[in-house]
Amino acid sequence: MENNPKTRLFCGTPCGTNSKKIYENYAEIFGWDISQSSQFGWQTPLYARNATREGYSVWCIAYSNLNAKKSGNWMNKISGDTIEELWKTRTYDYLHDFSDTTTRVVFAKNKKGQYEFFGVYKADPLPKELKVVEWYNTFGYVKTYRRISECYPIKED
């Protein structure tokens, strides 16, 4: 498949090192909510809720098993078509809402420090009763996302 970042993103597309520039670039190309570009950059959530025309959220994952880095309240494990996200503490503010299960356009930083486009992911439904689980030598609540498309926009056949 040929990558053409002006019309479609494909899984594995290298996108750069600066999450804000990445968001602004694709916001212009795809018509995302440009006012949410402030959510990307140094010490920001790297997340824009309901930012795309389809109502998807945009998520840049800076810390994960791909680059062996961890963040304060979250840990991410990316494997195949699945992303597991551990929350050490459940929070419910607008940008850090554990109950948020919006479909997400995902970029993840690799071991070279470059963000790559990973695809479009949908969250598994949250269980009615949440339980603290042990997850890779720490405890918290795990949310699971599954890839529903390797390209964005999702190709309609």
Side-chain angles (χ1 to χ4, degrees), residues 68-105:
K69 294 187 178 185
K70 298 177 184 176
S71 179
N73 193 40
W74 299 274
M75 294 173 60
N76 299 291
K77 181 179 181 233
I78 301 171
S79 178
D81 290 339
T82 304
I83 299 171
E84 291 179 311
E85 178 186 41
L86 174 92
W87 291 56
K88 293 179 185 173
T89 306
R90 290 182 295 170
T91 56
Y92 297 97
D93 65 74
Y94 185 72
L95 293 171
H96 304 98
D97 183 355
F98 180 80
S99 63
D100 174 18
T101 56
T102 56
T103 298
R104 299 175 179 202
V105 176

PDB file of all heavy atoms in Angstrom, residues 68-105:
ATOM      1  N   ALA A  68      10.097   1.762  25.964  1.00  0.00           N
ATOM      2  CA  ALA A  68      10.493   1.428  27.340  1.00  0.00           C
ATOM      3  C   ALA A  68      10.426   2.634  28.277  1.00  0.00           C
ATOM      4  O   ALA A  68      11.228   2.768  29.182  1.00  0.00           O
ATOM      5  CB  ALA A  68      11.881   0.792  27.365  1.00  0.00           C
ATOM      6  N   LYS A  69       9.428   3.505  28.054  1.00  0.00           N
ATOM      7  CA  LYS A  69       9.253   4.672  28.922  1.00  0.00           C
ATOM      8  C   LYS A  69       7.902   4.610  29.598  1.00  0.00           C
ATOM      9  O   LYS A  69       6.939   4.089  29.049  1.00  0.00           O
ATOM     10  CB  LYS A  69       9.389   5.962  28.117  1.00  0.00           C
ATOM     11  CG  LYS A  69      10.793   6.159  27.578  1.00  0.00           C
ATOM     12  CD  LYS A  69      10.948   7.498  26.939  1.00  0.00           C
ATOM     13  CE  LYS A  69      12.386   7.649  26.459  1.00  0.00           C
ATOM     14  NZ  LYS A  69      12.634   8.976  25.919  1.00  0.00           N
ATOM     15  N   LYS A  70       7.844   5.174  30.817  1.00  0.00           N
ATOM     16  CA  LYS A  70       6.612   5.184  31.605  1.00  0.00           C
ATOM     17  C   LYS A  70       6.263   6.611  31.980  1.00  0.00           C
ATOM     18  O   LYS A  70       7.130   7.469  32.078  1.00  0.00           O
ATOM     19  CB  LYS A  70       6.783   4.351  32.872  1.00  0.00           C
ATOM     20  CG  LYS A  70       7.062   2.897  32.606  1.00  0.00           C
ATOM     21  CD  LYS A  70       7.290   2.139  33.881  1.00  0.00           C
ATOM     22  CE  LYS A  70       7.676   0.702  33.582  1.00  0.00           C
ATOM     23  NZ  LYS A  70       8.007  -0.047  34.776  1.00  0.00           N
ATOM     24  N   SER A  71       4.979   6.836  32.199  1.00  0.00           N
ATOM     25  CA  SER A  71       4.493   8.141  32.630  1.00  0.00           C
ATOM     26  C   SER A  71       3.922   8.007  34.033  1.00  0.00           C
ATOM     27  O   SER A  71       3.730   6.898  34.527  1.00  0.00           O
ATOM     28  CB  SER A  71       3.414   8.618  31.653  1.00  0.00           C
ATOM     29  OG  SER A  71       2.894   9.857  32.050  1.00  0.00           O
ATOM     30  N   GLY A  72       3.606   9.117  34.660  1.00  0.00           N
ATOM     31  CA  GLY A  72       3.120   9.137  36.037  1.00  0.00           C
ATOM     32  C   GLY A  72       1.936   8.239  36.333  1.00  0.00           C
ATOM     33  O   GLY A  72       2.072   7.191  36.940  1.00  0.00           O
ATOM     34  N   ASN A  73       0.755   8.602  35.882  1.00  0.00           N
ATOM     35  CA  ASN A  73      -0.467   7.885  36.242  1.00  0.00           C
ATOM     36  C   ASN A  73      -0.836   6.804  35.230  1.00  0.00           C
ATOM     37  O   ASN A  73      -1.750   6.041  35.469  1.00  0.00           O
ATOM     38  CB  ASN A  73      -1.622   8.886  36.376  1.00  0.00           C
ATOM     39  CG  ASN A  73      -2.842   8.281  37.044  1.00  0.00           C
ATOM     40  OD1 ASN A  73      -2.727   7.513  37.997  1.00  0.00           O
ATOM     41  ND2 ASN A  73      -4.014   8.607  36.547  1.00  0.00           N
ATOM     42  N   TRP A  74      -0.125   6.717  34.091  1.00  0.00           N
ATOM     43  CA  TRP A  74      -0.497   5.785  33.039  1.00  0.00           C
ATOM     44  C   TRP A  74       0.679   4.942  32.584  1.00  0.00           C
ATOM     45  O   TRP A  74       1.818   5.384  32.609  1.00  0.00           O
ATOM     46  CB  TRP A  74      -1.019   6.535  31.808  1.00  0.00           C
ATOM     47  CG  TRP A  74      -2.222   7.334  32.094  1.00  0.00           C
ATOM     48  CD1 TRP A  74      -3.523   6.903  32.070  1.00  0.00           C
ATOM     49  CD2 TRP A  74      -2.271   8.698  32.476  1.00  0.00           C
ATOM     50  NE1 TRP A  74      -4.360   7.925  32.403  1.00  0.00           N
ATOM     51  CE2 TRP A  74      -3.613   9.052  32.662  1.00  0.00           C
ATOM     52  CE3 TRP A  74      -1.307   9.680  32.675  1.00  0.00           C
ATOM     53  CZ2 TRP A  74      -4.023  10.313  33.034  1.00  0.00           C
ATOM     54  CZ3 TRP A  74      -1.709  10.943  33.058  1.00  0.00           C
ATOM     55  CH2 TRP A  74      -3.049  11.248  33.226  1.00  0.00           C
ATOM     56  N   MET A  75       0.349   3.737  32.130  1.00  0.00           N
ATOM     57  CA  MET A  75       1.313   2.878  31.448  1.00  0.00           C
ATOM     58  C   MET A  75       0.586   2.312  30.235  1.00  0.00           C
ATOM     59  O   MET A  75      -0.608   2.019  30.299  1.00  0.00           O
ATOM     60  CB  MET A  75       1.777   1.745  32.363  1.00  0.00           C
ATOM     61  CG  MET A  75       2.587   2.224  33.563  1.00  0.00           C
ATOM     62  SD  MET A  75       2.951   0.885  34.735  1.00  0.00           S
ATOM     63  CE  MET A  75       3.883  -0.241  33.730  1.00  0.00           C
ATOM     64  N   ASN A  76       1.301   2.159  29.123  1.00  0.00           N
ATOM     65  CA  ASN A  76       0.696   1.656  27.896  1.00  0.00           C
ATOM     66  C   ASN A  76       1.501   0.495  27.342  1.00  0.00           C
ATOM     67  O   ASN A  76       2.728   0.559  27.294  1.00  0.00           O
ATOM     68  CB  ASN A  76       0.648   2.766  26.844  1.00  0.00           C
ATOM     69  CG  ASN A  76      -0.173   3.943  27.301  1.00  0.00           C
ATOM     70  OD1 ASN A  76      -1.377   3.855  27.421  1.00  0.00           O
ATOM     71  ND2 ASN A  76       0.491   5.056  27.575  1.00  0.00           N
ATOM     72  N   LYS A  77       0.786  -0.535  26.924  1.00  0.00           N
ATOM     73  CA  LYS A  77       1.424  -1.673  26.270  1.00  0.00           C
ATOM     74  C   LYS A  77       0.749  -1.856  24.918  1.00  0.00           C
ATOM     75  O   LYS A  77      -0.468  -2.047  24.843  1.00  0.00           O
ATOM     76  CB  LYS A  77       1.283  -2.941  27.095  1.00  0.00           C
ATOM     77  CG  LYS A  77       1.959  -4.119  26.420  1.00  0.00           C
ATOM     78  CD  LYS A  77       1.862  -5.379  27.233  1.00  0.00           C
ATOM     79  CE  LYS A  77       2.578  -6.490  26.502  1.00  0.00           C
ATOM     80  NZ  LYS A  77       1.762  -7.654  26.313  1.00  0.00           N
ATOM     81  N   ILE A  78       1.559  -1.782  23.869  1.00  0.00           N
ATOM     82  CA  ILE A  78       1.054  -1.954  22.507  1.00  0.00           C
ATOM     83  C   ILE A  78       1.565  -3.283  21.990  1.00  0.00           C
ATOM     84  O   ILE A  78       2.760  -3.557  22.022  1.00  0.00           O
ATOM     85  CB  ILE A  78       1.518  -0.799  21.605  1.00  0.00           C
ATOM     86  CG1 ILE A  78       1.028   0.530  22.176  1.00  0.00           C
ATOM     87  CG2 ILE A  78       1.031  -1.005  20.175  1.00  0.00           C
ATOM     88  CD1 ILE A  78       1.600   1.753  21.500  1.00  0.00           C
ATOM     89  N   SER A  79       0.631  -4.115  21.540  1.00  0.00           N
ATOM     90  CA  SER A  79       0.996  -5.446  21.058  1.00  0.00           C
ATOM     91  C   SER A  79       0.024  -5.849  19.950  1.00  0.00           C
ATOM     92  O   SER A  79      -1.185  -5.967  20.197  1.00  0.00           O
ATOM     93  CB  SER A  79       0.934  -6.451  22.210  1.00  0.00           C
ATOM     94  OG  SER A  79       1.232  -7.741  21.756  1.00  0.00           O
ATOM     95  N   GLY A  80       0.548  -6.039  18.751  1.00  0.00           N
ATOM     96  CA  GLY A  80      -0.321  -6.425  17.635  1.00  0.00           C
ATOM     97  C   GLY A  80      -1.386  -5.376  17.399  1.00  0.00           C
ATOM     98  O   GLY A  80      -1.091  -4.197  17.227  1.00  0.00           O
ATOM     99  N   ASP A  81      -2.635  -5.783  17.433  1.00  0.00           N
ATOM    100  CA  ASP A  81      -3.771  -4.887  17.201  1.00  0.00           C
ATOM    101  C   ASP A  81      -4.390  -4.374  18.501  1.00  0.00           C
ATOM    102  O   ASP A  81      -5.533  -3.908  18.496  1.00  0.00           O
ATOM    103  CB  ASP A  81      -4.850  -5.609  16.390  1.00  0.00           C
ATOM    104  CG  ASP A  81      -4.423  -5.848  14.941  1.00  0.00           C
ATOM    105  OD1 ASP A  81      -3.517  -5.142  14.469  1.00  0.00           O
ATOM    106  OD2 ASP A  81      -5.004  -6.726  14.290  1.00  0.00           O
ATOM    107  N   THR A  82      -3.660  -4.473  19.608  1.00  0.00           N
ATOM    108  CA  THR A  82      -4.214  -4.129  20.919  1.00  0.00           C
ATOM    109  C   THR A  82      -3.349  -3.116  21.659  1.00  0.00           C
ATOM    110  O   THR A  82      -2.122  -3.181  21.612  1.00  0.00           O
ATOM    111  CB  THR A  82      -4.329  -5.409  21.787  1.00  0.00           C
ATOM    112  OG1 THR A  82      -5.118  -6.374  21.088  1.00  0.00           O
ATOM    113  CG2 THR A  82      -4.972  -5.125  23.134  1.00  0.00           C
ATOM    114  N   ILE A  83      -4.019  -2.182  22.322  1.00  0.00           N
ATOM    115  CA  ILE A  83      -3.351  -1.266  23.254  1.00  0.00           C
ATOM    116  C   ILE A  83      -4.001  -1.473  24.608  1.00  0.00           C
ATOM    117  O   ILE A  83      -5.223  -1.398  24.739  1.00  0.00           O
ATOM    118  CB  ILE A  83      -3.510   0.211  22.845  1.00  0.00           C
ATOM    119  CG1 ILE A  83      -2.903   0.472  21.473  1.00  0.00           C
ATOM    120  CG2 ILE A  83      -2.878   1.132  23.899  1.00  0.00           C
ATOM    121  CD1 ILE A  83      -3.204   1.858  20.916  1.00  0.00           C
ATOM    122  N   GLU A  84      -3.174  -1.764  25.612  1.00  0.00           N
ATOM    123  CA  GLU A  84      -3.648  -1.826  26.987  1.00  0.00           C
ATOM    124  C   GLU A  84      -3.137  -0.588  27.700  1.00  0.00           C
ATOM    125  O   GLU A  84      -1.955  -0.248  27.588  1.00  0.00           O
ATOM    126  CB  GLU A  84      -3.138  -3.079  27.697  1.00  0.00           C
ATOM    127  CG  GLU A  84      -3.743  -4.352  27.173  1.00  0.00           C
ATOM    128  CD  GLU A  84      -3.189  -5.564  27.894  1.00  0.00           C
ATOM    129  OE1 GLU A  84      -1.957  -5.665  28.021  1.00  0.00           O
ATOM    130  OE2 GLU A  84      -4.004  -6.383  28.337  1.00  0.00           O
ATOM    131  N   GLU A  85      -4.039   0.068  28.420  1.00  0.00           N
ATOM    132  CA  GLU A  85      -3.696   1.302  29.127  1.00  0.00           C
ATOM    133  C   GLU A  85      -4.017   1.101  30.605  1.00  0.00           C
ATOM    134  O   GLU A  85      -5.161   0.880  30.970  1.00  0.00           O
ATOM    135  CB  GLU A  85      -4.515   2.450  28.548  1.00  0.00           C
ATOM    136  CG  GLU A  85      -4.293   3.775  29.219  1.00  0.00           C
ATOM    137  CD  GLU A  85      -5.228   4.842  28.693  1.00  0.00           C
ATOM    138  OE1 GLU A  85      -6.421   4.562  28.462  1.00  0.00           O
ATOM    139  OE2 GLU A  85      -4.760   5.959  28.537  1.00  0.00           O
ATOM    140  N   LEU A  86      -2.995   1.167  31.447  1.00  0.00           N
ATOM    141  CA  LEU A  86      -3.184   1.041  32.891  1.00  0.00           C
ATOM    142  C   LEU A  86      -3.316   2.434  33.486  1.00  0.00           C
ATOM    143  O   LEU A  86      -2.491   3.304  33.239  1.00  0.00           O
ATOM    144  CB  LEU A  86      -2.004   0.343  33.560  1.00  0.00           C
ATOM    145  CG  LEU A  86      -2.124   0.325  35.079  1.00  0.00           C
ATOM    146  CD1 LEU A  86      -2.816  -0.933  35.541  1.00  0.00           C
ATOM    147  CD2 LEU A  86      -0.796   0.502  35.744  1.00  0.00           C
ATOM    148  N   TRP A  87      -4.352   2.629  34.260  1.00  0.00           N
ATOM    149  CA  TRP A  87      -4.545   3.846  35.030  1.00  0.00           C
ATOM    150  C   TRP A  87      -4.281   3.498  36.485  1.00  0.00           C
ATOM    151  O   TRP A  87      -4.994   2.679  37.063  1.00  0.00           O
ATOM    152  CB  TRP A  87      -5.969   4.349  34.891  1.00  0.00           C
ATOM    153  CG  TRP A  87      -6.337   4.881  33.554  1.00  0.00           C
ATOM    154  CD1 TRP A  87      -6.248   4.236  32.361  1.00  0.00           C
ATOM    155  CD2 TRP A  87      -6.869   6.170  33.285  1.00  0.00           C
ATOM    156  NE1 TRP A  87      -6.694   5.048  31.358  1.00  0.00           N
ATOM    157  CE2 TRP A  87      -7.085   6.243  31.902  1.00  0.00           C
ATOM    158  CE3 TRP A  87      -7.197   7.265  34.076  1.00  0.00           C
ATOM    159  CZ2 TRP A  87      -7.607   7.369  31.290  1.00  0.00           C
ATOM    160  CZ3 TRP A  87      -7.719   8.386  33.473  1.00  0.00           C
ATOM    161  CH2 TRP A  87      -7.909   8.441  32.094  1.00  0.00           C
ATOM    162  N   LYS A  88      -3.289   4.106  37.090  1.00  0.00           N
ATOM    163  CA  LYS A  88      -3.014   3.845  38.506  1.00  0.00           C
ATOM    164  C   LYS A  88      -4.130   4.402  39.371  1.00  0.00           C
ATOM    165  O   LYS A  88      -4.465   3.830  40.402  1.00  0.00           O
ATOM    166  CB  LYS A  88      -1.667   4.438  38.900  1.00  0.00           C
ATOM    167  CG  LYS A  88      -0.500   3.741  38.220  1.00  0.00           C
ATOM    168  CD  LYS A  88       0.808   4.359  38.607  1.00  0.00           C
ATOM    169  CE  LYS A  88       1.947   3.731  37.827  1.00  0.00           C
ATOM    170  NZ  LYS A  88       3.212   4.410  38.060  1.00  0.00           N
ATOM    171  N   THR A  89      -4.705   5.524  38.947  1.00  0.00           N
ATOM    172  CA  THR A  89      -5.825   6.154  39.637  1.00  0.00           C
ATOM    173  C   THR A  89      -6.869   6.524  38.602  1.00  0.00           C
ATOM    174  O   THR A  89      -6.528   7.093  37.565  1.00  0.00           O
ATOM    175  CB  THR A  89      -5.373   7.451  40.356  1.00  0.00           C
ATOM    176  OG1 THR A  89      -4.273   7.152  41.191  1.00  0.00           O
ATOM    177  CG2 THR A  89      -6.497   8.050  41.161  1.00  0.00           C
ATOM    178  N   ARG A  90      -8.125   6.219  38.874  1.00  0.00           N
ATOM    179  CA  ARG A  90      -9.186   6.623  37.952  1.00  0.00           C
ATOM    180  C   ARG A  90      -9.469   8.108  38.165  1.00  0.00           C
ATOM    181  O   ARG A  90      -9.690   8.545  39.281  1.00  0.00           O
ATOM    182  CB  ARG A  90     -10.464   5.829  38.195  1.00  0.00           C
ATOM    183  CG  ARG A  90     -10.337   4.385  37.779  1.00  0.00           C
ATOM    184  CD  ARG A  90     -11.621   3.654  37.993  1.00  0.00           C
ATOM    185  NE  ARG A  90     -11.913   3.613  39.431  1.00  0.00           N
ATOM    186  CZ  ARG A  90     -13.055   3.221  39.956  1.00  0.00           C
ATOM    187  NH1 ARG A  90     -14.037   2.842  39.189  1.00  0.00           N
ATOM    188  NH2 ARG A  90     -13.230   3.202  41.252  1.00  0.00           N
ATOM    189  N   THR A  91      -9.450   8.869  37.093  1.00  0.00           N
ATOM    190  CA  THR A  91      -9.795  10.286  37.158  1.00  0.00           C
ATOM    191  C   THR A  91     -10.931  10.537  36.179  1.00  0.00           C
ATOM    192  O   THR A  91     -11.160   9.753  35.260  1.00  0.00           O
ATOM    193  CB  THR A  91      -8.582  11.177  36.825  1.00  0.00           C
ATOM    194  OG1 THR A  91      -8.089  10.813  35.539  1.00  0.00           O
ATOM    195  CG2 THR A  91      -7.484  11.031  37.857  1.00  0.00           C
ATOM    196  N   TYR A  92     -11.621  11.652  36.380  1.00  0.00           N
ATOM    197  CA  TYR A  92     -12.808  11.916  35.569  1.00  0.00           C
ATOM    198  C   TYR A  92     -12.909  13.355  35.091  1.00  0.00           C
ATOM    199  O   TYR A  92     -13.985  13.863  34.862  1.00  0.00           O
ATOM    200  CB  TYR A  92     -14.075  11.534  36.354  1.00  0.00           C
ATOM    201  CG  TYR A  92     -14.116  10.063  36.655  1.00  0.00           C
ATOM    202  CD1 TYR A  92     -13.692   9.580  37.880  1.00  0.00           C
ATOM    203  CD2 TYR A  92     -14.544   9.152  35.694  1.00  0.00           C
ATOM    204  CE1 TYR A  92     -13.708   8.219  38.158  1.00  0.00           C
ATOM    205  CE2 TYR A  92     -14.556   7.802  35.959  1.00  0.00           C
ATOM    206  CZ  TYR A  92     -14.142   7.340  37.193  1.00  0.00           C
ATOM    207  OH  TYR A  92     -14.149   6.002  37.452  1.00  0.00           O
ATOM    208  N   ASP A  93     -11.763  14.051  34.912  1.00  0.00           N
ATOM    209  CA  ASP A  93     -11.853  15.385  34.320  1.00  0.00           C
ATOM    210  C   ASP A  93     -11.913  15.226  32.801  1.00  0.00           C
ATOM    211  O   ASP A  93     -11.716  14.139  32.269  1.00  0.00           O
ATOM    212  CB  ASP A  93     -10.688  16.277  34.777  1.00  0.00           C
ATOM    213  CG  ASP A  93      -9.343  15.784  34.300  1.00  0.00           C
ATOM    214  OD1 ASP A  93      -9.048  15.936  33.095  1.00  0.00           O
ATOM    215  OD2 ASP A  93      -8.586  15.235  35.120  1.00  0.00           O
ATOM    216  N   TYR A  94     -12.169  16.309  32.092  1.00  0.00           N
ATOM    217  CA  TYR A  94     -12.443  16.225  30.653  1.00  0.00           C
ATOM    218  C   TYR A  94     -11.343  15.542  29.850  1.00  0.00           C
ATOM    219  O   TYR A  94     -11.621  14.736  28.964  1.00  0.00           O
ATOM    220  CB  TYR A  94     -12.707  17.623  30.080  1.00  0.00           C
ATOM    221  CG  TYR A  94     -13.112  17.581  28.631  1.00  0.00           C
ATOM    222  CD1 TYR A  94     -14.373  17.107  28.263  1.00  0.00           C
ATOM    223  CD2 TYR A  94     -12.239  17.979  27.630  1.00  0.00           C
ATOM    224  CE1 TYR A  94     -14.749  17.047  26.939  1.00  0.00           C
ATOM    225  CE2 TYR A  94     -12.609  17.925  26.292  1.00  0.00           C
ATOM    226  CZ  TYR A  94     -13.867  17.456  25.953  1.00  0.00           C
ATOM    227  OH  TYR A  94     -14.237  17.384  24.637  1.00  0.00           O
ATOM    228  N   LEU A  95     -10.084  15.818  30.149  1.00  0.00           N
ATOM    229  CA  LEU A  95      -8.998  15.248  29.362  1.00  0.00           C
ATOM    230  C   LEU A  95      -8.405  13.975  29.962  1.00  0.00           C
ATOM    231  O   LEU A  95      -7.621  13.297  29.312  1.00  0.00           O
ATOM    232  CB  LEU A  95      -7.894  16.294  29.164  1.00  0.00           C
ATOM    233  CG  LEU A  95      -8.324  17.463  28.284  1.00  0.00           C
ATOM    234  CD1 LEU A  95      -7.278  18.560  28.307  1.00  0.00           C
ATOM    235  CD2 LEU A  95      -8.598  17.016  26.862  1.00  0.00           C
ATOM    236  N   HIS A  96      -8.741  13.679  31.183  1.00  0.00           N
ATOM    237  CA  HIS A  96      -8.218  12.480  31.847  1.00  0.00           C
ATOM    238  C   HIS A  96      -9.381  11.697  32.445  1.00  0.00           C
ATOM    239  O   HIS A  96      -9.450  11.468  33.633  1.00  0.00           O
ATOM    240  CB  HIS A  96      -7.215  12.859  32.944  1.00  0.00           C
ATOM    241  CG  HIS A  96      -6.093  13.695  32.458  1.00  0.00           C
ATOM    242  ND1 HIS A  96      -6.064  15.050  32.584  1.00  0.00           N
ATOM    243  CD2 HIS A  96      -4.952  13.359  31.806  1.00  0.00           C
ATOM    244  CE1 HIS A  96      -4.947  15.527  32.065  1.00  0.00           C
ATOM    245  NE2 HIS A  96      -4.261  14.517  31.569  1.00  0.00           N
ATOM    246  N   ASP A  97     -10.299  11.302  31.604  1.00  0.00           N
ATOM    247  CA  ASP A  97     -11.539  10.661  32.050  1.00  0.00           C
ATOM    248  C   ASP A  97     -11.446   9.157  31.810  1.00  0.00           C
ATOM    249  O   ASP A  97     -11.515   8.698  30.671  1.00  0.00           O
ATOM    250  CB  ASP A  97     -12.717  11.260  31.293  1.00  0.00           C
ATOM    251  CG  ASP A  97     -14.054  10.717  31.743  1.00  0.00           C
ATOM    252  OD1 ASP A  97     -14.094   9.794  32.583  1.00  0.00           O
ATOM    253  OD2 ASP A  97     -15.081  11.213  31.249  1.00  0.00           O
ATOM    254  N   PHE A  98     -11.327   8.416  32.890  1.00  0.00           N
ATOM    255  CA  PHE A  98     -11.216   6.961  32.773  1.00  0.00           C
ATOM    256  C   PHE A  98     -12.392   6.365  32.011  1.00  0.00           C
ATOM    257  O   PHE A  98     -12.238   5.399  31.270  1.00  0.00           O
ATOM    258  CB  PHE A  98     -11.108   6.316  34.161  1.00  0.00           C
ATOM    259  CG  PHE A  98     -10.994   4.822  34.103  1.00  0.00           C
ATOM    260  CD1 PHE A  98      -9.780   4.218  33.816  1.00  0.00           C
ATOM    261  CD2 PHE A  98     -12.102   4.010  34.303  1.00  0.00           C
ATOM    262  CE1 PHE A  98      -9.670   2.838  33.728  1.00  0.00           C
ATOM    263  CE2 PHE A  98     -11.997   2.632  34.231  1.00  0.00           C
ATOM    264  CZ  PHE A  98     -10.774   2.043  33.947  1.00  0.00           C
ATOM    265  N   SER A  99     -13.576   6.945  32.154  1.00  0.00           N
ATOM    266  CA  SER A  99     -14.764   6.380  31.514  1.00  0.00           C
ATOM    267  C   SER A  99     -14.866   6.727  30.026  1.00  0.00           C
ATOM    268  O   SER A  99     -15.748   6.225  29.335  1.00  0.00           O
ATOM    269  CB  SER A  99     -16.028   6.838  32.242  1.00  0.00           C
ATOM    270  OG  SER A  99     -16.166   8.243  32.155  1.00  0.00           O
ATOM    271  N   ASP A 100     -13.968   7.560  29.505  1.00  0.00           N
ATOM    272  CA  ASP A 100     -13.988   7.942  28.094  1.00  0.00           C
ATOM    273  C   ASP A 100     -13.627   6.736  27.227  1.00  0.00           C
ATOM    274  O   ASP A 100     -12.538   6.176  27.348  1.00  0.00           O
ATOM    275  CB  ASP A 100     -12.995   9.083  27.857  1.00  0.00           C
ATOM    276  CG  ASP A 100     -12.837   9.453  26.389  1.00  0.00           C
ATOM    277  OD1 ASP A 100     -13.709   9.090  25.578  1.00  0.00           O
ATOM    278  OD2 ASP A 100     -11.840  10.103  26.060  1.00  0.00           O
ATOM    279  N   THR A 101     -14.542   6.342  26.363  1.00  0.00           N
ATOM    280  CA  THR A 101     -14.296   5.199  25.485  1.00  0.00           C
ATOM    281  C   THR A 101     -14.466   5.583  24.009  1.00  0.00           C
ATOM    282  O   THR A 101     -14.878   4.766  23.195  1.00  0.00           O
ATOM    283  CB  THR A 101     -15.230   4.018  25.833  1.00  0.00           C
ATOM    284  OG1 THR A 101     -16.585   4.471  25.758  1.00  0.00           O
ATOM    285  CG2 THR A 101     -14.935   3.464  27.215  1.00  0.00           C
ATOM    286  N   THR A 102     -14.138   6.845  23.680  1.00  0.00           N
ATOM    287  CA  THR A 102     -14.268   7.269  22.290  1.00  0.00           C
ATOM    288  C   THR A 102     -13.296   6.484  21.399  1.00  0.00           C
ATOM    289  O   THR A 102     -12.237   6.056  21.845  1.00  0.00           O
ATOM    290  CB  THR A 102     -13.979   8.774  22.129  1.00  0.00           C
ATOM    291  OG1 THR A 102     -12.685   9.057  22.648  1.00  0.00           O
ATOM    292  CG2 THR A 102     -15.018   9.631  22.830  1.00  0.00           C
ATOM    293  N   THR A 103     -13.677   6.327  20.154  1.00  0.00           N
ATOM    294  CA  THR A 103     -12.788   5.736  19.158  1.00  0.00           C
ATOM    295  C   THR A 103     -11.641   6.716  18.925  1.00  0.00           C
ATOM    296  O   THR A 103     -11.849   7.932  18.945  1.00  0.00           O
ATOM    297  CB  THR A 103     -13.571   5.462  17.855  1.00  0.00           C
ATOM    298  OG1 THR A 103     -14.611   4.526  18.161  1.00  0.00           O
ATOM    299  CG2 THR A 103     -12.673   4.890  16.766  1.00  0.00           C
ATOM    300  N   ARG A 104     -10.430   6.194  18.728  1.00  0.00           N
ATOM    301  CA  ARG A 104      -9.244   7.047  18.703  1.00  0.00           C
ATOM    302  C   ARG A 104      -8.367   6.825  17.475  1.00  0.00           C
ATOM    303  O   ARG A 104      -8.123   5.693  17.079  1.00  0.00           O
ATOM    304  CB  ARG A 104      -8.404   6.792  19.949  1.00  0.00           C
ATOM    305  CG  ARG A 104      -9.186   7.122  21.202  1.00  0.00           C
ATOM    306  CD  ARG A 104      -8.453   6.781  22.446  1.00  0.00           C
ATOM    307  NE  ARG A 104      -9.268   7.148  23.597  1.00  0.00           N
ATOM    308  CZ  ARG A 104      -8.796   7.371  24.799  1.00  0.00           C
ATOM    309  NH1 ARG A 104      -7.498   7.245  25.036  1.00  0.00           N
ATOM    310  NH2 ARG A 104      -9.596   7.712  25.780  1.00  0.00           N
ATOM    311  N   VAL A 105      -7.884   7.934  16.936  1.00  0.00           N
ATOM    312  CA  VAL A 105      -6.850   7.928  15.914  1.00  0.00           C
ATOM    313  C   VAL A 105      -5.538   7.977  16.705  1.00  0.00           C
ATOM    314  O   VAL A 105      -5.305   8.916  17.461  1.00  0.00           O
ATOM    315  CB  VAL A 105      -6.976   9.156  14.981  1.00  0.00           C
ATOM    316  CG1 VAL A 105      -5.837   9.187  13.980  1.00  0.00           C
ATOM    317  CG2 VAL A 105      -8.335   9.150  14.279  1.00  0.00           C
TER     318      VAL A 105
END
